[in-house]
Amino acid sequence: KDIKPTISISDNMDKYIIRGNPNKFSVAIIFILTGNLNLDEIIKITMQKQTPINFFIDFTYLNKNINKIKEVKNGSFYTYGDNGVYAPDILLFSNNLLENIGNNKASYCLSDTKNNKTLQLCKNYNMYTIIPNITGGYNDIKNNLKSGSIILLESSYKNISELNNIINFINNKGYNIVSLDNLLSEK
């Protein structure tokens, strides 16, 4: 029988999420999709490694790359607003579009710092606001990796070329790389 925890994530949409459950031995990797990111290379690497990846998509990128996004089978997609700035019309349009073409519910916003405007807007749309606890590349992950980590890989060529090594390092440390939904699930 499923029992709801005393303190549930669903009761805390007005709080920032900075990590998942440390008892799960899992982490999640995030990329921000903007105009200069090589999505094909990321998909190739993650398909070979059978690794789920999370993408926060800029509104402009989403409008120009709908067909490419439809082809991605191992990714979860969420809106990144207009270059990280969330507005009601962009949030509504992007979430509807992503939920129609993707494999998941668009239930997360992404912020790099505490931003009460973003937090409140996302709460109004029944979404959680995430601030990753690791941002950067291989060395940042190597020095800060813990169970439950939410990792934002910066969209540089170096980090994409290191993606294979990053996945190997995380797996060799005994962690599973999972979707945000899986990492933040209370089951």
Side-chain angles (χ1 to χ4, degrees):
K1 179 177 174 183
D2 289 340
I3 300 171
K4 184 179 175 185
T6 310
I7 299 173
S8 174
I9 190 171
S10 62
D11 299 329
N12 288 287
M13 288 187 177
D14 60 338
K15 308 275 190 292
Y16 297 98
I17 296 173
I18 56 171
R19 279 185 56 198
N21 184 341
N23 297 323
K24 285 188 172 185
F25 297 101
S26 297
V27 301
I29 296 176
I30 297 170
F31 275 100
I32 297 172
L33 286 180
T34 59
N36 60 354
L37 185 67
N38 187 345
L39 179 60
D40 294 330
E41 187 64 23
I42 295 170
I43 298 307
K44 178 181 161 193
I45 293 168
T46 57
M47 289 295 286
Q48 288 172 345
K49 295 286 192 180
Q50 298 180 344
T51 301
I53 212 85
N54 302 277
F55 296 102
F56 282 82
I57 305 176
D58 178 72
F59 181 71
T60 303
Y61 187 94
L62 175 62
N63 286 326
K64 292 180 180 178
N65 295 284
I66 291 171
N67 289 330
K68 184 177 272 194
I69 292 165
K70 285 181 183 178
E71 297 172 9
V72 177
K73 302 298 181 220
N74 65 331
S76 297
F77 296 98
Y78 310 98
T79 183
Y80 190 56
D82 183 11
N83 199 28
V85 178
Y86 292 91
D89 53 342
I90 291 175
L91 198 57
L92 185 62
F93 179 81
S94 296
N95 283 351
N96 285 334
L97 189 56
L98 287 171
E99 289 179 10
N100 283 325
I101 64 174
N103 302 323
N104 61 285
K105 184 172 176 1
S107 51
Y108 303 107
C109 295
L110 179 68
S111 185
D112 56 356
T113 60
K114 291 184 177 182
N115 180 327
N116 289 333
K117 183 179 175 187
T118 297
L119 183 67
Q120 186 60 47
L121 179 63
C122 294
K123 177 186 174 212
N124 291 345
Y125 282 87
N126 292 320
M127 299 173 70
Y128 303 98
T129 304
I130 293 175
I131 298 177
N133 64 312
I134 300 175
T135 300
Y138 182 80
N139 287 332
D140 300 294
I141 294 166
K142 185 178 172 188
N143 294 329
N144 299 299
L145 186 67
K146 295 179 179 124
S147 186
S149 288
I150 299 173
I151 303 163
L152 173 60
L153 288 180
E154 295 173 337
S155 303
S156 69
Y157 174 76
K158 179 182 177 188
N159 287 338
I160 293 173
S161 65
E162 290 180 340
L163 183 57
N164 194 44
N165 292 335
I166 289 169
I167 292 170
N168 288 339
F169 175 79
I170 292 169
N171 288 333
N172 287 337
K173 288 293 184 180
Y175 300 113
N176 296 313
I177 300 170
V178 298
S179 69
L180 280 171
D181 283 338
N182 188 311
L183 183 71
L184 301 175
S185 168
E186 294 178 332
K187 291 184 179 186

